[in-house]
Structure formats: C-alpha cells, structure tokens
Amino acid sequence: MNTITKLLVCLILSITISKLQAQTKDLDSIRKEKVDYKIVKLEEERSQIEEQEKGALKLKIQKINARLDADEITAAEAENLKKEAAKIAVLNIENRTVIIDKQIALLRRNGYDAYQYRRDDDEKVELNIGSNGLHINIGSEEKAPKYDLRTTNKMLFAIGFNNTIIDGENLDDSPYKIGGSGFVELGWLWQTRLFKDSNFMRVNYGFSFQWNKLNMKDNQYFVQTDDVTSLQEFPVDLDKAQFRVTNLVVPMHLEFGPSKKREFKDKIRYTTENQFKFGIGGYGGLRLGTLQKLKYKENGDRVKDKIRKNYNTSNFVYGLSAYVGFDDVSLYVKYDLNPLFKDQAVDQNNISVGLRFDLD
C-alpha cells in the first residue's frame, strides 16, 4: 500500500506540475500577444498623428477666416493666428510622435513588465484568478466572446461498498462481510464536449487507481495451492482477514445532462453546477498488486501478517460502470467482467456500489 500510495502521489504531483507549466506557457503567450498587439496599435496611432493634426489645423483656420469675414479681426491678426495655429500643430505632431516612439521602445525593451503603467484612466492591466479560471485584461480593448475549451479536466474520487457476485450464489450468501468490504477509487479525468454549441453530451476519460477490499467472514482466509485459490478456515481465531486488489485502469464514460451557459466579457463557459447528470461506460487496465492481511493472537502475542502474492487474481481488469447524480456527487456502480480469480471452478466477479465525486 505504501508503494502504491507513493506512486499515486508522484503521478498527481507530476500532473499538477505539468498543468501549472502549461498555464505558465499559456500566460506568457497571452502576454506576448497583448504586447505585440499594443505595439501594432501604437504604430497605427503614430501614422495617423499628422493627418489628425492637419485636420484640427484646418478647422482652426476655417474659424479664423470666419472671424475675418465677420470683421471681428483684421487681416494681420488673422495671419498671426494662422501662423500660431500652424506652429502648435507642428509641435503637437512632433511631441505626440516622440511620446508614442518612447512607448513602443519601452514595450519592445521590457515586454509585459512595461505594460504596468497606465496610459489613461480607462486603460490598465488586470489579472484576475477566480472560480472561472485565470483572466487577463490588458488595456481597454474588448475581445469578442469565445467558446470555452472543448476539453477540461477534473479529479475523480469514489468510495463505497465492495463484494463479489459468485456463480450459483446470492449476495446474501457471500463469504465476505458487506459492511466491512469496501472500495476506493482516485484518478484524473478529462472531459470533452462532443458538440460545438451544446454541452448536453460529453465524454469522460482518464486514469484511476482502484483499491477493492474484501473482508472475509467465518474465520476464513485465502489459500493458494498451485492454480487453485480457495477459502479455508484459519487454525486460530482471526481478529481480521482482509483481501485487497489494487488496479490501474483507464475509465471512459459517455455523460449526459443539462448545462448552464455563462457568458463573460471575453468568453463563454458551460457549467454542470447544480445540474443532474448520467454517465455510462466502462474501464480497462492492469492489476498492480494483491495483498492479504491477517490479524490474530498467537501465544498471547498480537500478530499481523501481510502476504503479497498474486493468489491467481486476474492480471487484466475490465468492466462496466455507470453513475447518476447531481452537481459533483453521484451514485456510482462498477462491475468487473473479468473474474476475480482466473481459471477457477466457480467464477466470482467484483462489484462495487458507492458515491462518486467529480472535483473540478
């Protein structure tokens, strides 16, 4: 169990680090795109300065001429006003061009860091992290809303009761304790929306670890004799007899259910928050290990045996599973199509029922 736990922790850390690295790369790409876009806009603004100032000078001259025609000013005064207006226009062109050239040089030299200054009251850099993810807004420009990524990811956690279906026997006759036998599943899933403009149907896939545990009744334990695995009575009273199989599987489910469409300033998101959902599919993978734990007293001493061997358990695991739920919580059922023990006279197949949590 310790080895599997360490492996699981390493895998989850690896995925988390990879995700953070990807987000960092995406953030750098967004920053570069914003800076490049702003440089292009500044260059366009610089190319329009002379035309704008000439247009403003033309309006001033028209007003001066109108005053001259109305005998409000003399011809000499009109000529002086026109020269002053022309001088101001030339200085405006020169100063505005220098300002924009310095802004472009600052951006090219320092990149995104140079964008921390504010050009005016309506233009600033915003970095928001919330329930809807990372949002960056540079400047006052607004992008047209975009549909969210077709693929998102989440963590899977499930826990519940575990037992087996044995040929020719009812579940009530099971040699395993119903209350003491359980399962745990932990994994990482990706969810892909199948249709462009609808999230009613999506597919979930990924990987998960399954720990299926059986607690034996009637002082019995498993004994492997060559290719035969059977339950036998232990020679002394057992305090605990537990049998656990650890699997690594690839689950895949087709999920159905309504979604809410949320429109933001620069994106559109679909959410299944507070919505019903139904998923059906299966899984396949490999057995990682088999362990039997026995606790008992011998000569007054407490003894705990941990026996690791295959006990003829199936190396390949595959089965069917389904869930129905609301929001992040679902009722979850999975059934192994492969027998728990291979090449036995009587097949028994693992079955699990519990709660499933999809943690976005």
Side-chain angles (χ1 to χ4, degrees):
M1 179 63 178
N2 291 335
T3 302
I4 298 301
T5 302
K6 291 178 181 178
L7 176 61
L8 177 59
V9 171
C10 290
L11 283 172
I12 293 176
L13 286 175
S14 177
I15 292 171
T16 304
I17 292 172
S18 299
K19 186 177 179 182
L20 289 174
Q21 290 175 340
Q23 289 179 342
T24 301
K25 290 181 180 179
D26 290 341
L27 180 58
D28 291 341
S29 177
I30 292 172
R31 287 175 169 177
K32 185 180 185 302
E33 180 182 347
K34 287 290 187 179
V35 171
D36 291 344
Y37 176 78
K38 182 51 63 178
I39 290 175
V40 171
K41 286 296 184 181
L42 287 171
E43 290 175 340
E44 291 177 356
E45 184 179 342
R46 181 178 57 187
S47 67
Q48 297 170 359
I49 289 175
E50 185 173 348
E51 183 178 351
Q52 291 172 351
E53 291 297 334
K54 285 182 178 180
L57 176 60
K58 184 177 179 179
L59 290 175
K60 288 181 180 180
I61 291 175
Q62 289 176 350
K63 290 180 179 180
I64 293 171
N65 288 334
R67 293 178 64 190
L68 178 62
D69 294 339
D71 294 330
E72 295 180 1
I73 56 176
T74 64
E77 290 175 332
E79 186 65 23
N80 289 333
L81 289 174
K82 290 178 182 180
K83 288 181 180 179
E84 184 66 24
K87 182 178 179 182
I88 291 174
V90 170
L91 289 174
N92 285 347
I93 292 172
E94 180 181 343
N95 292 340
R96 289 179 62 187
T97 301
V98 169
I99 291 172
I100 290 181
D101 285 341
K102 289 183 179 298
Q103 290 175 348
I104 292 174
L106 187 65
L107 286 170
R108 285 177 173 165
R109 182 169 59 251
N110 298 303
Y112 180 78
D113 293 335
Y115 215 33
Q116 303 304 311
Y117 71 91
R118 293 173 57 179
R119 295 187 58 213
D120 53 51
D121 291 338
D122 297 326
E123 189 166 339
K124 59 183 178 180
V125 179
E126 294 180 352
L127 177 62
N128 299 320
I129 301 176
S131 59
N132 296 308
L134 180 65
H135 172 67
I136 299 175
N137 179 39
I138 299 181
S140 57
E141 304 89 358
E142 294 185 6
K143 288 187 176 181
K146 294 182 180 179
Y147 285 98
D148 66 321
L149 296 176
R150 295 283 288 271
T151 299
T152 57
N153 54 73
K154 56 188 175 181
M155 180 176 289
L156 163 66
F157 175 72
I159 189 169
F161 300 103
N162 191 68
N163 219 291
T164 65
I165 301 295
I166 303 176
D167 285 349
E169 294 186 13
N170 296 323
L171 190 58
D172 293 338
D173 300 325
S174 171
Y176 313 114
K177 298 177 182 178
I178 294 179
S181 302
F183 84 97
V184 173
E185 184 170 356
L186 183 64
W188 195 265
L189 300 178
W190 287 265
Q191 183 175 91
T192 298
R193 193 172 71 247
L194 295 182
F195 300 106
K196 181 180 179 181
D197 299 321
S198 173
N199 194 41
F200 182 78
M201 184 183 301
R202 52 262 183 188
V203 59
N204 290 330
Y205 52 93
F207 70 90
S208 65
F209 292 89
Q210 297 176 345
W211 292 273
N212 298 324
K213 183 186 69 171
L214 297 170
N215 278 16
M216 283 76 81
K217 298 190 297 188
D218 302 326
N219 210 57
Q220 297 185 98
Y221 76 116
F222 279 111
V223 177
Q224 178 182 352
T225 305
D226 297 327
D227 294 333
V228 177
T229 300
S230 61
L231 283 170
Q232 298 182 15
E233 186 174 356
F234 199 68
V236 299
D237 290 337
L238 284 168
D239 296 324
K240 177 184 286 188
Q242 184 183 101
F243 187 79
R244 188 180 70 232
V245 179
T246 303
N247 303 320
L248 173 61
V249 301
V250 176
M252 182 172 292
H253 294 88
L254 192 61
E255 186 176 292
F256 305 88
S259 297
K260 292 181 180 179
K261 183 178 180 181
R262 294 179 175 176
E263 298 187 20
F264 297 91
K265 187 175 181 180
D266 60 349
K267 60 191 174 185
I268 291 177
R269 292 291 183 263
Y270 292 90
T271 176
T272 57
E273 182 180 355
N274 297 325
Q275 300 292 314
F276 286 98
K277 61 184 175 182
F278 168 70
I280 185 169
Y283 51 90
L286 301 172
R287 177 182 62 86
L288 297 181
T290 306
L291 172 68
Q292 181 169 217
K293 286 184 180 181
L294 302 175
K295 291 184 179 181
Y296 55 94
K297 288 184 179 180
E298 187 175 54
N299 299 324
D301 296 326
R302 294 183 179 274
V303 181
K304 180 190 293 185
D305 291 336
K306 291 185 178 181
I307 307 168
R308 290 182 171 85
K309 56 192 304 185
N310 62 39
Y311 286 98
N312 296 316
T313 49
S314 296
N315 293 321
F316 298 99
V317 182
Y318 53 94
L320 301 175
S321 54
Y323 56 90
V324 59
F326 181 80
D327 201 356
D328 293 336
V329 184
S330 302
L331 179 64
Y332 182 43
V333 179
K334 62 184 183 74
Y335 176 73
D336 288 355
L337 294 176
N338 63 283
L340 178 59
F341 302 103
K342 57 187 177 182
D343 302 325
Q344 302 297 297
V346 178
D347 285 341
Q348 47 183 309
N349 298 72
N350 199 83
I351 185 170
S352 305
V353 179
L355 293 177
R356 171 189 173 109
F357 302 88
D358 295 300
L359 307 175
D360 294 332

